[in-house]
Amino acid sequence: MSELKIVNCSKYYKKNGEPMCALEETDMHVENGRFVSIIGPSGCGKSTLFNIVAGLIRPSSGEVLLDGKDITCESGHVGYMLQKDLLLPWRSILDNVIIGLEIRGVPKKKARERALPMLKNYGLGGFEYDHPDALSGGMRQRAGLIRTLLYDQDVILLDEPFGALDAQTRMQMQNWLLQIWKDFKKTILFVTHDIDEAIYLSDEIYVFTHRPGKIKAKIEVELPRPRNEKTLMDDRFLTLKRELLLMLGEERVSSE
Amino acid sequence: MPEKLKNKEMIIEDPSVEQTKLRRRAFAGQILVGVIIVFFWEFLTRIGWLDSYYWSSPSTIVRTGWTAITQGTLLQDLAYTSGSTILGFILGTAGGYLLGLSFWWSALYSRIFEPYMIAFNAIPKLALAPVLVIMFGIGFDSKVILAFLMTIIVAAIAAYSGVQNVDPDLEKMLVSLGAKRRHVFMKVVVPTTIPWIVSILKINISLALAGTIVGEFISSRQGIGRMILYAGQVLNIDLVWVGVVVLSLLSIVMYLGTVWLERVLMKGRTPKS
């Protein structure tokens, strides 16, 4: 069980003595095992919210609850992955993915034994002992996600993980991610700019407004799973896409 | 397949074979150039185009060197000089590296000490040699300390530059995986700074040697530096040349040592360009 509650979280900075708002008071409730996306223009406070949930920065107000437990300002409770793969160039893929276990004090040998089948099952077989330089962008993102998964937290935050990939690889990676989500039954909070990606992957989508960041709308996707190429042509998909495009279009106008 | 290619033999290149071939030929060429230089040196001094009083000659240097080994103390001098150089180099480089790394732990501490590090770097350490010899005596210690002082700040500055180049996102990633500061230090900061410290190994080995030699020039009972100074004073220029050649050889051996060390430290990663 893992249920993430964001209660009344906000973040204000001071700039030249004037208070600046990065994120207005926000409430969010992510139920166990759901795939929830956050979509919005750049500068909408998505990353701020993520950093708060991951415990990397202190919110100006509010708290983050995981299964009712206060985890505000505590790192290490949720898995977190950024757009950059952040693999350590001096470690092999295998040694990169076990780093979370290593920090937790699991002996290297044991950690490797746990990681090897996982690399094999999720498309990195044969690359275990290569260094990140030798891998393509998609492969490296896979390694990054497997590292997050091996850390074994029930909630995973993904901050535009496929943003730097080409369209083809992206589609592949989305299906790969859905497979992993199904196999491991994680709760995923996913940030993206890409409307299609949000609809294709999610159960719910939160739309954020441009500066100051706050939630503008919450949309239930209600498309059947498993999803595939046909989903992209489903009427419900297209209706949602139109709705979201209009909503984000308004944002663009209001920000100009 | 186009008509033209049909009858021709297919050419498949093996880049590794090409590489080996290149390496062998380069090595042969290097030896050849060395032989030519030594040959002309010998030849020109024999026919009198170069004055053998100043220039000595390869054969005389070898003969004088052999005498210095068998009847003199050349080998002990060599051990003395290389010992203080290597010891000073290791202490200075390792100490400087740790000093540079320590700046990662606190922004306040690094801000306070950064200008002092730069100021210390600006002091011409060799000019302090006479004071150091008085402070630490004319023995082994003063040479090690000179070599140490020559190398420590260079290493500290290199390590500090490395520390400033640590990717903050890597830190973030590790913290999100539950890392404490010591984990970030060991798993990201130290590996990030390794190419930086590796890049100054070669510079530091020659700085350490310069420190030792100057220390021996100032005052010493042993060492190649003392031998050169003594030979110069008695106008035994052949022996000066022996000293210079031996120091060059020592320098080459230590250089190869750093190349080896570099290979060990940089194992498995592409060098920073």
Side-chain angles (χ1 to χ4, degrees), chain A residues 84 86 90 102 131 133 147 151, chain B residues 169 177-178 187 191 268 270:
Chain A
K84 283 200 273 176
L86 295 173
W90 48 84
E102 234 181 281
H131 284 256
D133 285 347
R147 175 178 63 195
Y151 187 54
Chain B
D169 281 343
L177 293 176
K187 294 191 193 302
T270 38

Side-chain angles (χ1 to χ4, degrees), chain B residues 113-133:
Chain B
F113 282 97
E114 199 187 348
Y116 288 98
M117 195 167 72
I118 292 162
F120 187 74
N121 186 41
I123 298 174
K125 265 80 62 186
L126 289 179
L128 283 174
V131 185
L132 291 170
V133 170

Side-chain angles (χ1 to χ4, degrees), chain A residues 51 54 56 75-80 82 84 86-91 99-100 102-103 131 133 147-148 151, chain B residues 167 169-180 182-184 186-192 267-270:
Chain A
N51 284 332
L56 297 171
S75 64
H77 289 286
V78 298
Y80 188 33
L82 300 167
K84 283 200 273 176
L86 295 173
L87 298 172
L88 303 175
W90 48 84
R91 286 176 166 237
I99 197 164
E102 234 181 281
I103 287 167
H131 284 256
D133 285 347
R147 175 178 63 195
T148 313
Y151 187 54
Chain B
D167 184 348
D169 281 343
L170 286 180
E171 248 182 284
K172 218 181 194 186
M173 176 275 290
L174 275 187
V175 170
S176 82
L177 293 176
K180 303 275 173 292
R182 70 190 156 89
H183 293 121
V184 177
M186 289 310 293
K187 294 191 193 302
V188 168
V189 177
V190 172
T192 301
K267 206 173 140 213
R269 65 168 117 173
T270 38

Side-chain angles (χ1 to χ4, degrees), chain B residues 124-193:
Chain B
K125 265 80 62 186
L126 289 179
L128 283 174
V131 185
L132 291 170
V133 170
I134 296 166
M135 269 161 78
F136 298 99
I138 63 169
F140 195 69
D141 298 351
S142 59
K143 282 80 194 170
V144 173
I145 284 170
L146 258 171
F148 170 80
L149 289 178
M150 290 292 282
T151 50
I152 182 167
I153 295 299
V154 178
I157 288 174
Y160 186 43
S161 311
V163 161
Q164 286 169 319
N165 266 277
V166 172
D167 184 348
D169 281 343
L170 286 180
E171 248 182 284
K172 218 181 194 186
M173 176 275 290
L174 275 187
V175 170
S176 82
L177 293 176
K180 303 275 173 292
R181 265 173 84 72
R182 70 190 156 89
H183 293 121
V184 177
F185 183 75
M186 289 310 293
K187 294 191 193 302
V188 168
V189 177
V190 172
T192 301
T193 52

